[in-house]
Amino acid sequence: MTNLLILLTLPENVRNQYRDRLKARFPELSIDIADHHSKVGPHIAKADALLTFAPMLSPKVLQDATRLKWVQALGTGVDNLTDQDALRKDVIVTNIHGIHGPPVSEAALGTMLALARDLPRAVRLQDEKKWFRFPAQLLHTKTVGIFGVGVIAEALAPKCKAFGMRVVGISSAPRPAPGFDAMHSRDELLKVVGDFDFFVLLTPLTEKTRNSINADMFTAMKPTSFLINLARGGVVDEPALVEALKSKRIAGAALDVFSQEPLPSDHPFWSMHNVIITTHQGGFCDVYVDFALPVIEKNMEQFLKGDTGGMINVIAH
């Protein structure tokens, strides 16, 4: 019997959806569930396959997975998985991509609006039962820069255009794309970032992008501009961002991802009134299971048949 371990630090009903739907489709599977990497002990040594999000892993999980043959990552990013020394070279890694356009583009728009209208301030006033009016900023006529032009950016750009925004893309391989008014290479970012009212990060975390949004970048940005990070925490030099926010070098930030997750309770971000924190929620939506299952089921079917060459979205083999 093939053993699948589902490791998901998510609400129980979400974990159970994956288990129940995969069990119904593949009754020959033995499926175990853990809600945290520290709880995989009774299951990991017998696991042939692992279903998880890469940020939810720990090196020990991979070290103890002596039978592991396949990891199905539930996100696009596989940092904290493929860069782990404990991952054996013979383990197949597959991911999910192409489904994040709607949820993450909506997350970007939602946080842009929240920053522009200072909704956190409104909520604080509500908590204090204070009636105080202040002018909102508009997205209309503003410029948004999008760093990382893939499926999500291509979903986001036309939505921004619908708000009357100017949309600028930053890509390692610039190309024309619907909804963009201009496109620049990554090497040009420092020159053009000063034009952005909103700067949305969607780029993958690589050695070239790690800490690429740094003190020099914040100095070049407008003091009225906002940063939105829906990429990976490691893309941003977080100490430099803390200083830029404290000194009002930039107006504010909406942060969904962090170098360390969960974000430590003593981190300065928590107490900053010009920061909106969401807990790696960008792509997490009510229909994510429906979006992801076709890829998982296709790969599980091939894995059970022993046809690993027929698996899709293969990152490492």
Side-chain angles (χ1 to χ4, degrees):
M1 179 172 282
T2 298
N3 297 301
L4 170 67
L5 173 60
I6 298 174
L7 168 57
L8 292 176
T9 307
L10 296 174
E12 182 179 10
N13 67 309
V14 176
R15 297 194 300 271
N16 290 346
Q17 280 188 68
Y18 285 105
R19 180 198 60 196
D20 295 345
R21 292 171 69 169
L22 286 170
K23 189 66 176 177
R25 175 72 173 77
F26 304 102
E28 67 271 36
L29 270 181
S30 172
I31 304 178
D32 295 303
I33 297 181
D35 64 3
H36 191 264
H37 61 76
S38 64
K39 300 179 182 179
V40 303
H43 316 295
I44 191 62
K46 64 179 181 178
D48 300 292
L50 175 63
L51 179 68
T52 190
F53 282 97
M56 297 178 183
L57 282 170
S58 73
K60 184 165 174 51
V61 172
L62 297 173
Q63 289 166 6
D64 293 346
T66 53
R67 281 184 48 169
L68 190 65
K69 303 176 185 69
W70 167 41
V71 180
Q72 173 67 64
L74 281 173
T76 301
V78 290
D79 49 284
N80 200 51
L81 171 54
T82 56
D83 56 0
Q84 293 286 343
D85 292 338
L87 181 70
R88 299 193 321 275
K89 301 297 184 185
D90 60 326
V91 175
I92 300 167
V93 176
T94 55
N95 73 350
I96 304 286
H97 62 75
I99 69 171
H100 297 88
V104 182
S105 64
E106 289 187 19
L109 270 178
T111 51
M112 287 164 64
L113 286 165
L115 288 165
R117 307 194 74 85
D118 203 351
L119 293 184
R121 184 182 185 185
V123 172
R124 288 194 296 270
L125 288 168
Q126 179 180 342
D127 289 342
E128 296 168 7
K129 300 180 175 64
K130 289 183 178 178
W131 183 273
F132 180 79
R133 300 180 72 209
F134 53 91
Q137 297 185 47
L138 297 183
L139 301 189
H140 182 66
T141 75
K142 299 298 196 304
T143 296
V144 56
I146 304 175
F147 182 23
V149 181
V151 170
I152 298 167
E154 290 176 356
L156 175 59
K159 293 180 172 77
C160 292
K161 294 298 292 180
F163 278 84
M165 304 185 80
R166 180 172 181 267
V167 184
V168 178
I170 305 295
S171 175
S172 59
R175 66 190 188 283
F180 287 89
D181 296 290
M183 194 74 71
H184 296 276
S185 72
R186 188 166 56 204
D187 294 338
E188 299 174 284
L189 177 55
L190 194 59
K191 297 177 183 178
V192 300
V193 72
D195 297 333
F196 303 161
D197 299 291
F198 296 87
F199 186 19
V200 181
L201 307 182
L202 298 173
T203 187
L205 177 61
T206 67
E207 285 311 305
K208 288 186 177 180
T209 62
R210 187 179 297 277
N211 289 330
S212 59
I213 309 305
N214 52 28
D216 291 342
M217 206 67 66
F218 299 131
T219 299
M221 290 171 69
K222 295 179 183 180
T224 54
S225 62
F226 296 103
L227 177 75
I228 296 97
N229 189 6
L230 290 157
R232 281 289 189 266
V235 173
V236 175
D237 181 339
E238 288 184 349
L241 176 57
V242 168
E243 183 56 36
L245 291 163
K246 282 182 176 178
S247 63
K248 299 187 178 178
R249 179 56 259 169
I250 64 173
L255 307 173
D256 187 57
V257 288
F258 305 90
S259 294
Q260 182 180 347
E261 297 181 6
L263 185 66
S265 60
D266 60 351
H267 198 287
F269 286 148
W270 286 113
S271 57
M272 289 182 163
H273 283 183
N274 56 349
V275 173
I276 295 173
I277 290 174
T278 49
T279 54
H280 209 138
Q281 293 273 112
F284 189 29
C285 62
D286 54 349
V287 291
Y288 195 90
V289 177
D290 298 319
F291 287 171
L293 268 175
V295 173
I296 302 167
E297 290 176 341
K298 168 67 175 176
N299 281 340
M300 183 60 73
E301 181 179 13
Q302 300 305 113
F303 183 74
L304 291 174
K305 289 195 303 186
D307 181 16
T308 56
M311 298 172 78
I312 58 175
N313 296 4
V314 177
I315 302 298
H317 191 179

